[in-house]
């Protein structure tokens, strides 16, 4: 499947969502037979701690554990689907990012999710940032074939995911192409899918006659970055997008922010 901005905006119509309600976190897909077991995860965590990653195994069930509880930055996450137990759920991705050629291949998954006592805060930004950073460090050390993010119904090439997430955690822009999906409409507008998991609201950007789809998408990514920084909107705000001014206005119906274009001056 194409992965560039131009190609993505040609993916019309978007396939109907096939969201698996079990998928509340990140899924890491491996080739059959390559899923890690608890011992392999323990080795990765130990090596990562030596490299400065503040993570540890906070709970390991006795016997042949098919899951682990991981502690990072004071927050706990469950890693489910470890070998030799049953694999985790398979995500149905609607957009893929960072792959060359035909995109991700099938396989077996493990799933990283917030633990029960913080599951209610799974959409709180510090929880999400910690989970993404923990996942990136696991992906760097394991033979992961693709990273799925259920909230946006996206799949990401592992190196693409790690670069985007670690850059964001280091102060760079939010990975809008991966942690959200872009849904183009026939009128040239673009809506987000998955942004509500970070801000409580999705976004719809007004199109502009004659504007290349790739340019509209780049603007949408910039807007998404700003909205993640600002959080949930309760009143209209203006966004300086460099060569134009935008107005982001929360809709009175549903969890939606409408983004309109303004002229300079």
């Amino acid at each position: 499947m194409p992965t560039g901005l131009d190609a993505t905006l040609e993916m019309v119509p978007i396939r109907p969502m096939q969201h698996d309600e079990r998928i509340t976190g990140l899924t890491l897909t491996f080739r059959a037979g390559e899923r890690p077991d608890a011992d392999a995860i323990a080795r990765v965590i130990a090596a990562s701690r030596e490299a400065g990653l503040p993570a540890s195994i906070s709970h390991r069930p006795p016997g042949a554990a098919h899951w682990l509880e991981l502690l990072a930055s004071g927050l706990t996450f469950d890693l489910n689907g470890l070998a030799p137990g049953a694999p985790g759920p398979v995500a149905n991705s609607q957009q893929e990012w960072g792959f060359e050629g035909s995109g991700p291949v099938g396989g077996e998954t493990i799933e990283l999710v917030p633990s029960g006592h913080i599951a209610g805060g799974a959409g709180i930004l510090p929880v999400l940032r910690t989970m993404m950073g923990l996942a990136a460090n696991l992906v760097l050390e394991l033979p992961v074939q693709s990273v799925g993010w259920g909230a946006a119904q996206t799949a990401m090439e592992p190196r693409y995911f790690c670069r985007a997430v670690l850059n964001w955690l280091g102060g760079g822009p939010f990975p809008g192409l991966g942690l959200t999906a872009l849904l183009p409409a026939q009128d040239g507008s673009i809506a987000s899918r998955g942004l509500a998991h970070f801000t409580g609201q999705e976004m719809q950007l007004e199109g502009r006659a004659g504007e290349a789809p790739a340019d509209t998408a780049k603007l949408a990514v910039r807007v998404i970055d700003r909205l993640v920084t600002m959080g949930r909107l309760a009143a209209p705000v203006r966004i300086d997008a460099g060569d134009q001014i935008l107005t982001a206005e929360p809709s009175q119906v549903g969890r939606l922010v409408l983004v309109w274009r303004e002229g300079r001056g």
Side-chain angles (χ1 to χ4, degrees):
M1 175 175 292
T3 57
L5 282 174
D6 294 289
T8 299
L9 269 294
E10 293 171 1
M11 291 177 5
V12 180
I14 296 295
R15 299 192 299 272
M17 287 185 66
Q18 303 173 18
H19 184 63
D20 187 329
E21 295 297 337
R22 297 175 299 164
I23 300 176
T24 58
L26 287 158
T27 56
L28 312 183
T29 301
F30 300 80
R31 291 189 179 93
E34 293 187 356
R35 264 186 310 135
D37 59 14
D39 288 337
I41 297 299
R43 290 192 294 270
V44 169
I45 293 294
S48 296
R49 285 183 62 82
E50 293 178 0
L53 174 68
S56 61
I57 295 175
S58 50
H59 179 68
R60 178 173 178 171
H66 303 156
W67 66 278
L68 294 170
E69 183 184 77
L70 306 181
L71 175 68
S73 300
L75 301 169
T76 54
F77 303 87
D78 290 341
L79 190 62
N80 302 314
L82 299 175
V90 176
N92 292 295
S93 63
Q94 305 298 304
Q95 288 187 358
E96 289 90 37
W97 298 100
F99 295 96
E100 297 181 0
S102 59
V105 296
E108 300 177 347
T109 70
I110 62 175
E111 183 185 23
L112 181 68
V113 298
S115 287
H117 71 285
I118 64 168
I124 298 175
L125 196 56
V127 174
L128 290 164
R129 288 174 63 92
T130 300
M131 183 172 70
M132 296 296 169
L134 178 58
N137 280 276
L138 292 173
V139 170
L140 286 170
E141 301 298 330
L142 295 169
V144 177
Q145 298 300 301
S146 68
V147 180
W149 176 230
Q153 296 290 279
T154 54
M156 291 160 277
E157 192 276 332
R159 291 168 297 179
Y160 173 91
F161 169 78
C162 292
R163 286 194 303 268
V165 164
L166 295 177
N167 184 49
W168 174 44
L169 298 180
F174 175 76
L177 302 180
L179 298 190
T180 62
L182 300 181
L183 310 181
Q186 295 295 336
D187 64 0
S189 65
I190 291 182
S192 68
R193 181 172 64 220
L195 178 60
H197 201 74
F198 295 87
T199 67
Q201 297 163 312
E202 295 295 348
M203 178 277 309
Q204 183 170 341
L205 170 66
E206 176 190 24
R208 169 175 283 179
E211 184 173 70
D215 291 334
T216 309
K218 290 174 183 176
L219 182 59
V221 171
R222 187 179 302 176
V223 170
I224 287 170
D225 175 57
R226 292 295 302 277
L227 292 176
V228 170
T229 300
M230 291 186 289
R232 187 181 185 93
L233 295 188
V237 298
R238 302 181 81 200
I239 297 176
D240 189 337
D243 60 343
Q244 57 187 301
I245 297 293
L246 309 172
T247 295
E249 179 180 5
S251 172
Q252 296 182 6
V253 180
R255 301 186 303 165
L256 181 65
V257 171
L258 302 172
V259 183
W260 311 100
R261 316 224 188 193
E262 297 182 12
R264 281 287 189 185

